[in-house]
């Protein structure tokens, strides 16, 4: 479903000597960026004017960090996203969102204005400045894969090309700083973008595939463990082709959830150490050949280090590493390796699939019964269809969402590695800017909701229609699970009344299963605006996944 951007040039339409601002906009269009998020400020106002006059739609947000989350969500669906903010007060505000995009490999272009080159000569104390004029750039160098300051007309076009190509190649954020007196400066020469091609070392690729084939041929219990990079690099189809050709069962990590349809006959469930279903955990951990494709070995994906995987029995391939058992290979593109796997001429043992999870009985509301976390997720699971995207925030809503059945690729978004609270509401905005035909089901705890909920103002402004489900347990329940204390308590808002403040949207207060059922029916029928369900849960009620983790950890204490 994701559109994967490429640097194919359409720059024939660019005038011979474009301005730096015009060239940047044209190259963003070349890479497929149709929308950009942000908040204007005086150091970037002139470029905002250029954006408004371009084919790129500008989506103004309520906060810069929200614009970053929205661009991240947009990038995960569309293939590349962008933010445009002012100097320091805007740029430094977006750092956390960009750090999350870097950690989870989401290609976001950060464009920021800055004081003009001429303004800096006498080293004045201009507003927004922190320490040195270079401070903001130095901060972003740590959380982007490439960065540049367009302060030289001779090199500006080449720098734009270099940085944007790095964004798409590595699927990570990049930083472009545009001094305000350089926006209208014309490039002094005609520039044609050069499309560089990175290739695998043929001999290394051949040997790696040969060794992988030998391990698979010997295996009696193979399994594929698919991760998020299959999303990011557009390799889901190749992954499925490989699995189907050899009939190898597939599991996925939490960060990679929805890499394939969870209705696929070879899919066995999400693997996350002790947090996943016991049958899935045993099936993966008892494998004698685990083909880990695009998988990040994070503590969350590995069930808070409860995973028991024998690395000597793994084929581990990401964009950064290729390792077969204890042998390391270099200069091999993950796309070439994954495509090569399906061309192997080997016979691989057919492994019986584990028993399917027992079908959940159709949800029948017990009208006066208080809603529990398990029953809430059971009801949500029933309403999902192919036109919905689940956007889960951090906390127990994320762990509970692991058990939801996602129908096809890129229908599940979450910050499941960086785990920054507040991601879901603005990310849902990004999803619908990218694909208005997809309806987000937003799962967010009350603590995370309080951080970024006012981005529903932008959702309302653009007539989007997410269904937002606030798991209201009066505080930070996941942290209570680790160590309880008054620091985990927060003020209980009337979340369902937020539409009154914003002047639009529908709000529902939910305490019982009957109210839950009625509210969701009403929300599904209302396609014109957002709906917000304030679902009251007991402060110590946790999802089945978190309960499984607790039971497993208690056995090791």
């Amino acid at each position: 479903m994701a559109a994967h951007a490429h640097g194919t040039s359409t720059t024939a339409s660019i005038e011979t000597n474009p301005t730096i601002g015009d060239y940047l906009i044209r190259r963003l269009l070349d890479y497929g960026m149709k929308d950009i998020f942000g908040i204007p400020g005086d150091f970037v106002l002139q470029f905002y004017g250029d954006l408004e006059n371009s084919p790129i739609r500008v989506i103004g947000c309520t906060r810069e960090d929200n614009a970053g989350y929205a661009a991240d969500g947009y990038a995960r669906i569309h293939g590349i996203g962008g933010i445009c903010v002012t100097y320091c007060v805007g740029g430094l505000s977006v750092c956390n969102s960009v750090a999350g995009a870097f950690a989870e490999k989401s290609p976001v272009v950060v464009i920021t204005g800055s004081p003009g080159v001429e303004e800096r000569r006498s080293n004045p104390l201009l507003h927004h400045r922190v320490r040195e004029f270079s401070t903001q750039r130095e901060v972003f160098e740590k959380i982007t894969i490439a960065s540049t300051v367009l302060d030289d007309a001779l090199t500006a076009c080449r720098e734009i090309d270099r940085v944007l190509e790095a964004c798409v190649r590595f699927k990570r954020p990049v930083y472009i700083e545009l001094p305000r007196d350089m926006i209208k400066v014309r490039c002094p020469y005609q520039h044609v973008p050069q499309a560089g091609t990175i290739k695998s070392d043929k001999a290394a690729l051949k040997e790696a595939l040969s060794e992988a084939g030998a391990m698979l041929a010997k295996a009696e219990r193979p399994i594929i463990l698919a991760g998020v990079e299959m999303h990011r690099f557009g390799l889901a189809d190749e992954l499925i082709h490989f699995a189907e050709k050899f009939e190898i069962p597939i599991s996925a990590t939490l960060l990679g959830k929805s890499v394939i349809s969870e209705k696929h006959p070879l899919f066995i469930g999400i693997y996350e150490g002790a947090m996943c279903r016991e049958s899935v955990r045993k099936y993966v951990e008892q494998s004698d050949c685990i083909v880990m494709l695009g998988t990040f070995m994070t503590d969350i994906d590995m069930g808070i280090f409860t995973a028991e995987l024998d690395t000597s029995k793994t084929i581990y391939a990401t964009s950064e590493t290729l390792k077969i058992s204890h042998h390391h290979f270099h200069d091999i593109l993950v796309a070439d390796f994954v495509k090569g796997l399906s061309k192997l001429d080997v016979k691989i043992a057919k492994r019986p699939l584990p028993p399917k999870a027992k079908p959940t009985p159709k949800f029948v509301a017990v009208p006066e019964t208080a809603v529990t976390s398990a029953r809430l997720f059971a009801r949500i699971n029933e309403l999902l269809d192919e036109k919905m995207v689940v956007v889960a925030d951090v906390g127990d809503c994320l762990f509970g969402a692991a058990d939801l059945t996602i129908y096809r690729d890129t229908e599940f978004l979450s910050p499941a590695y960086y785990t920054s609270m507040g991601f879901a509401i603005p990310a849902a905005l990004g999803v619908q800017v990218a694909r208005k035909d997809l309806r987000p089901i937003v799962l967010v705890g009350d603590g995370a909701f309080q951080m970024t909920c006012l981005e529903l103002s932008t959702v309302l402004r653009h007539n989007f229609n997410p269904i937002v489900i606030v798991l209201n347990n009066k505080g930070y329940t996941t942290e209570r699970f680790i160590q309880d204390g008054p620091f985990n308590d927060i003020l209980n808002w009337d979340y369902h009344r937020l539409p009154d403040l914003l002047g639009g949207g529908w709000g529902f207060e939910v305490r019982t299963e009957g109210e839950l059922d009625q509210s969701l029916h009403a929300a599904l029928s209302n396609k014109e605006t957002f709906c917000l369900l304030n679902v009251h849960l007991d402060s110590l009620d946790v999802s089945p996944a978190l309960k499984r983790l607790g039971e497993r950890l208690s056995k090791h204490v």
Side-chain angles (χ1 to χ4, degrees):
M1 184 171 70
H4 294 276
H6 299 283
T8 305
S9 174
T10 60
T11 52
S13 59
I14 294 182
E15 56 187 292
T16 303
N17 298 98
T19 66
I20 292 174
D22 286 344
Y23 185 81
L24 175 55
I25 289 171
R26 174 48 56 189
R27 294 302 282 140
L28 293 174
L29 289 166
D30 287 346
Y31 279 91
M33 193 181 295
K34 298 178 181 179
D35 308 274
I36 196 165
F37 302 84
I39 294 178
D42 57 347
F43 286 112
V44 77
L45 275 179
Q46 193 172 44
F47 186 65
Y48 254 82
D50 292 347
L51 284 170
E52 290 286 1
N53 293 325
S54 79
I56 297 176
R57 177 172 53 160
V58 179
I59 306 292
C61 295
T62 62
R63 292 172 52 97
E64 287 91 352
D65 54 350
N66 286 359
Y69 291 131
D72 186 351
Y74 181 95
R76 296 182 194 214
I77 292 290
H78 183 68
I80 189 170
I83 324 163
C84 186
V85 294
T86 194
Y87 183 59
C88 280
V89 295
L92 297 181
S93 290
V94 86
C95 280
N96 187 56
S97 314
V98 174
F102 184 93
E104 297 179 3
K105 291 206 167 179
S106 186
V108 174
V109 180
V110 181
I111 300 170
T112 173
S114 66
V117 174
E118 292 301 319
E119 292 178 88
R120 307 182 191 197
R121 297 208 182 278
S122 58
N123 201 30
L125 294 176
L126 296 179
H127 64 286
H128 299 344
R129 178 180 169 183
V130 181
R131 198 168 177 173
E132 309 296 338
F133 284 112
S134 61
T135 297
Q136 180 179 254
R137 173 185 58 78
E138 291 168 359
V139 169
F140 273 92
E141 283 179 348
K142 298 295 185 182
I143 54 174
T144 58
I145 197 67
S147 61
T148 188
V149 179
L150 304 179
D151 55 3
D152 186 343
L154 281 171
T155 60
C157 293
R158 289 200 303 274
E159 282 295 283
I160 290 168
D161 293 346
R162 175 184 68 83
V163 169
L164 293 181
E165 185 61 27
C167 182
V168 172
R169 177 183 171 192
F170 296 104
K171 309 300 180 190
R172 279 189 159 137
V174 295
Y175 172 83
I176 298 175
E177 184 178 316
L178 187 52
R180 63 179 171 184
D181 62 356
M182 298 298 292
I183 297 169
K184 294 298 184 183
V185 172
R186 292 195 174 275
C187 302
Y189 61 92
Q190 184 174 4
H191 175 77
V192 178
Q194 301 297 313
T197 303
I198 307 297
K199 296 181 179 180
S200 295
D201 182 300
K202 289 183 178 180
L205 176 62
K206 182 179 179 180
E207 187 168 325
L209 287 170
S210 175
E211 190 163 325
M215 179 180 282
L216 283 163
K218 292 178 183 176
E220 297 178 357
R221 301 180 301 280
I223 180 74
I224 295 169
L225 183 56
V228 68
E229 282 195 340
M230 297 297 99
H231 274 319
R232 301 291 188 261
F233 289 89
L235 294 171
D237 289 345
E238 284 77 8
L239 165 73
I240 293 169
H241 180 52
F242 166 55
E244 290 178 342
K245 178 179 177 179
F246 296 108
E247 297 182 42
I248 304 174
I250 307 172
S251 181
T253 63
L254 185 55
L255 189 60
K257 185 175 171 69
S258 81
V259 67
I260 69 166
S261 168
E262 297 185 8
K263 293 288 188 180
H264 194 287
L266 289 172
F267 185 76
I268 68 164
I270 297 295
Y271 175 77
E272 46 180 342
M275 283 193 287
C276 67
R277 295 198 318 271
E278 184 66 8
S279 61
V280 175
R281 185 190 67 78
K282 285 183 176 179
Y283 193 86
V284 172
E285 294 180 359
Q286 290 173 358
S287 172
D288 55 357
C289 181
I290 307 173
V291 187
M292 304 176 72
L293 300 178
T295 303
F296 282 5
M297 301 286 282
T298 75
D299 59 345
I300 302 295
D301 277 345
M302 296 297 110
I304 318 298
F305 299 120
T306 57
E308 295 179 5
L309 304 177
D310 185 346
T311 57
S312 69
K313 298 175 181 177
T314 61
I315 297 169
Y316 182 61
T318 70
S319 63
E320 300 168 0
T321 303
L322 177 54
K323 186 164 71 81
I324 300 174
S325 187
H326 297 295
H327 297 169
H328 292 260
F329 294 84
H330 303 283
D331 302 319
I332 298 174
L333 298 177
V334 66
D336 290 341
F337 183 75
V338 173
K339 291 172 184 176
L341 288 174
S342 62
K343 297 176 183 176
L344 290 172
D345 184 17
V346 295
K347 187 173 181 180
I348 300 175
K350 304 295 187 291
R351 185 182 183 188
L353 293 170
K356 294 282 185 183
K358 292 180 181 178
T360 305
K362 182 173 175 58
F363 183 92
V364 178
V366 183
E368 301 303 319
T369 301
V371 178
T372 64
S373 180
R375 290 286 281 170
L376 171 63
F377 282 102
R379 180 63 182 89
I380 294 169
N381 204 40
E382 281 195 4
L383 66 84
L384 299 180
D385 63 30
E386 292 192 354
K387 281 297 181 180
M388 292 178 176
V389 177
V390 174
V391 186
D393 215 296
V394 176
D396 201 31
C397 56
L398 172 59
F399 300 135
D403 290 334
L404 297 176
T405 302
I406 307 299
Y407 284 78
R408 56 179 188 182
D409 66 344
T410 322
E411 284 193 341
F412 183 85
L413 277 69
S414 76
Y417 168 38
Y418 188 62
T419 58
S420 177
M421 292 174 67
F423 170 87
I425 299 289
L429 166 66
V431 166
Q432 286 206 289
V433 170
R435 290 279 305 275
K436 193 171 183 179
D437 60 311
L438 296 175
R439 191 170 195 185
I441 305 296
V442 183
L443 305 175
V444 55
D446 49 345
F449 185 81
Q450 290 191 8
M451 293 182 177
T452 58
C453 61
L454 289 182
E455 210 54 55
L456 287 173
S457 171
T458 310
V459 167
L460 184 65
R461 180 181 179 186
H462 291 276
N463 301 309
F464 295 139
N465 63 354
I467 297 174
V468 180
I469 300 173
V470 180
L471 282 69
N472 181 3
N473 40 33
K474 320 302 185 291
Y476 306 130
T477 292
T478 307
E479 294 183 12
R480 285 194 183 110
F481 183 78
I482 301 169
Q483 181 172 331
D484 202 2
F487 41 78
N488 290 321
D489 300 331
I490 63 174
L491 184 66
N492 182 31
W493 294 1
D494 288 338
Y495 300 103
H496 54 286
R497 297 188 64 187
L498 186 60
D500 296 339
L501 171 65
L502 299 180
W506 287 10
F508 304 89
E509 186 168 25
V510 175
R511 295 182 183 275
T512 67
E513 290 190 4
E515 291 170 345
L516 174 65
D517 213 33
Q518 291 171 5
S519 300
L520 286 174
H521 277 299
L524 289 169
S525 66
N526 174 20
K527 296 181 170 58
E528 305 305 316
T529 188
F530 78 85
C531 295
L532 192 160
L533 279 66
N534 176 13
V535 182
H536 292 271
L537 297 169
D538 186 274
S539 62
L540 297 179
D541 182 17
V542 296
S543 68
L546 202 54
K547 287 178 182 176
R548 290 193 294 263
L549 176 64
E551 290 167 2
R552 179 70 181 277
L553 291 176
S554 66
K555 295 175 183 177
H556 291 77
V557 175

